Amino acid sequence: EEIVAILAHELGHWKMWHTAANLLVVQAHLFLYFFFLGTMLNYEGMYASFGFGGERAVVIGLLLFGNVISPVEHVMQFLQHLMSRRFEYQADQFAVDQGRGLALSQGLIKISKENKSNANPDGLYSAYHHTHPALIERLDAIEKAIKKRQ
């Protein structure tokens, strides 16, 4: 029963096009990353502002670009994790709508025990580092969705 519930969750991802949406976001992110990399490697002002005048070595350009883009990448990672966590709640809701809410909760608890994961990490840490909501958050959302459905 729990396996069927987890499969219902995964089918929710498929039905709501989460995989395609993630793929598009990652492709757009990579396109922009390489576009700005190419632009910055040819931008003399970047080298000059860091004290590298004259010849523009690619290695220096890569290091400078890495330093410049790093804060942007942190924001992008946070936004991608927010989107992924939202998708997880939506897929959980799909499983609940299929009548598999209780079994999904039980299955998630078993998976969490098997993986020895932290069921209730710090909210900010979890939001930044984890693509999936904490177990406690998911169980609360599933419970609310079951009650709402009844």
Side-chain angles (χ1 to χ4, degrees):
E1 191 67 25
E2 293 155 0
I3 292 173
V4 173
I6 290 170
L7 283 173
H9 166 92
E10 297 304 328
L11 285 172
H13 284 305
W14 175 79
K15 185 175 188 324
M16 292 179 250
W17 292 84
H18 292 164
T19 306
N22 275 328
L23 183 63
L24 286 174
V25 167
V26 168
Q27 285 181 341
H29 177 226
L30 283 174
F31 174 79
L32 291 172
Y33 184 90
F34 286 118
F35 173 79
F36 286 118
L37 173 63
T39 302
M40 295 292 278
L41 287 178
N42 294 316
Y43 179 57
E44 291 180 28
M46 180 180 72
Y47 294 91
S49 65
F50 285 97
F52 295 99
E55 188 178 334
R56 293 178 290 165
V58 174
V59 173
I60 299 297
L62 289 172
L63 290 171
L64 294 177
F65 179 74
N67 287 331
V68 170
I69 201 71
S70 180
V72 175
E73 287 299 303
H74 285 288
V75 172
M76 287 302 299
Q77 176 186 347
F78 177 73
L79 294 175
Q80 286 176 332
H81 285 180
L82 272 178
M83 184 179 77
S84 176
R85 293 164 69 88
R86 181 171 174 256
F87 286 170
E88 288 303 314
Y89 284 122
Q90 289 175 348
D92 287 348
Q93 179 66 50
F94 181 83
V96 169
D97 292 343
Q98 305 309 309
R100 306 287 182 195
L102 290 175
L104 178 62
S105 295
Q106 293 166 350
L108 290 173
I109 291 168
K110 281 185 180 177
I111 289 171
S112 182
K113 283 181 184 177
E114 245 179 68
N115 293 335
K116 296 180 174 65
S117 63
N118 184 355
N120 194 19
D122 178 68
L124 291 175
Y125 180 88
S126 179
Y128 182 74
H129 289 283
H130 298 155
T131 57
H132 288 61
L135 178 63
I136 299 295
E137 296 170 1
R138 289 180 79 178
L139 294 176
D140 286 344
I142 292 168
E143 184 180 329
K144 287 177 186 173
I146 291 170
K147 286 180 182 175
K148 186 178 177 182
R149 190 169 179 265
Q150 291 174 347

